[in-house]
Amino acid sequence: MRKKIIAGNWKMNCTPAQAEALCRKLLPLCEGAQADVVFCVPSVDIPAVTKVLAGSSIAVGAQNMYFEEKGAFTGEISADMLLELGVKYVIFGHSERREYFGETDEMVNRKVKKALSVGLLPIVCCGETLAQREAGIAVEWIRMQVKLALQGICAQDAEKITIAYEPIWAIGTGKTATAQQAQEICGAIRQVLSEIYDQEAAQTMRIQYGGSVNGKNAAELFAMPDIDGGLVGGASLKEEFAVIAHSE
Ligand code: PGA
């Protein structure tokens, strides 16, 4: 039985002081959730957030990381830096990073490998545009993204990875995929995982849905057989996130 994972993606919101205040508000509301709960916060907020969450069941995640060990990569943050701050999860390949910051499938793959090598747990995003969905190529597109992200990663390591299916047309738009639409793609992702690895790995790996998840639609989405929780943007900054964290 897979344990659900519900992660908030705070994106570029909250100064460290605001992050600390939000954490203090959300922590008591989220504790006791059956799922693994993660706050993926801006890098500079990590120390403030880890301090508040210390000793709690809520984990801290980052939203990005570079694949090189260290050196002349101005503006980047390394895996060791995140690890030393107590980070557990890192999001890779979010559609905003792909679109605005040129993150490619190859970079995602290298970042995932680096994260795994130090014991960080990757959350790997994939998702189609509305045009791709309408052209009937959503499943093919996502199969390709998943294969490229996982290239060269063995089953034992892959089991530490969470895949987040986030249709781009549903992110921040208030247009959630229906539970059936989300299940169809998450089922296809589990299928491709079983082709790359085997049934056992595919059944172990967790697959989230993301895209306008809120307190009202979370329970129905998370009840689908191949949806093991959610990656939550807008609603992760509100008390509503606690409702989502308890939805299963
Ligand atoms: P949203 O964002 O919940 O605001 O749609 C989801 C995400 O981008 O991870």
Side-chain angles (χ1 to χ4, degrees):
M1 189 60 187
R2 292 179 297 271
K3 190 172 181 190
K4 296 229 183 324
I5 171 166
I6 300 176
N9 174 10
W10 289 16
K11 307 194 179 183
M12 194 175 75
N13 292 292
C14 296
T15 66
Q18 291 166 340
E20 184 176 336
L22 180 58
C23 254
R24 285 197 195 288
K25 190 162 79 178
L26 292 180
L27 171 61
L29 303 175
C30 291
E31 272 205 309
Q34 297 296 306
D36 286 334
V37 177
V38 190
F39 294 171
C40 297
V41 305
S43 300
V44 294
D45 293 347
I46 292 167
V49 167
T50 349
K51 199 174 74 191
V52 179
L53 298 182
S56 81
S57 58
I58 300 173
V60 181
Q63 300 171 13
N64 184 34
M65 181 207 92
Y66 199 52
F67 50 75
E68 292 289 356
E69 182 70 25
K70 62 177 181 169
F73 303 102
T74 303
E76 291 297 326
I77 288 170
S78 76
D80 285 342
M81 293 172 190
L82 295 180
L83 206 60
E84 192 173 310
L85 290 181
V87 167
K88 189 164 174 194
Y89 294 86
V90 191
I91 300 174
F92 295 112
H94 190 281
S95 63
E96 287 151 17
R97 292 217 56 84
R98 294 178 191 258
E99 184 179 348
Y100 307 135
F101 305 101
E103 193 155 294
T104 63
D105 290 313
E106 191 205 337
M107 287 164 75
V108 170
N109 177 249
R110 293 180 74 173
K111 289 178 178 192
V112 170
K113 284 179 178 158
K114 179 66 193 176
L116 288 168
S117 77
V118 301
L120 290 165
L121 304 176
I123 297 176
V124 179
C125 302
C126 59
E128 82 286 3
T129 62
L130 189 58
Q132 288 169 328
R133 171 161 285 265
E134 286 174 353
I137 59 167
V139 169
E140 284 166 68
W141 176 258
I142 280 149
R143 284 175 60 88
M144 183 197 72
Q145 283 187 319
V146 171
K147 283 185 183 175
L148 290 172
L150 299 179
Q151 236 176 15
I153 295 168
C154 67
Q156 200 188 348
D157 278 344
E159 288 178 6
K160 298 171 192 145
I161 298 172
T162 299
I163 306 284
Y165 166 55
E166 297 207 307
I168 296 170
W169 47 272
I171 296 176
T173 58
K175 281 190 216 141
T176 321
T178 63
Q180 290 69 29
Q181 283 173 324
Q183 165 57 31
E184 186 197 342
I185 303 281
C186 291
I189 292 172
R190 202 167 311 280
Q191 171 63 31
V192 75
L193 295 175
S194 75
E195 292 167 24
I196 302 170
Y197 302 109
D198 52 25
Q199 271 302 330
E200 195 189 320
Q203 289 304 327
T204 305
M205 289 175 70
R206 298 190 286 190
I207 304 173
Q208 295 173 310
Y209 167 78
S212 299
V213 174
N214 59 41
K216 292 203 181 73
N217 59 30
E220 190 190 354
L221 286 159
F222 302 166
M224 302 310 280
D226 288 302
I227 301 181
D228 308 313
L231 184 56
V232 184
S236 70
L237 300 166
K238 306 179 198 161
E239 286 181 18
E240 185 180 0
F241 184 72
V243 177
I244 301 170
H246 289 279
S247 293
E248 61 168 308

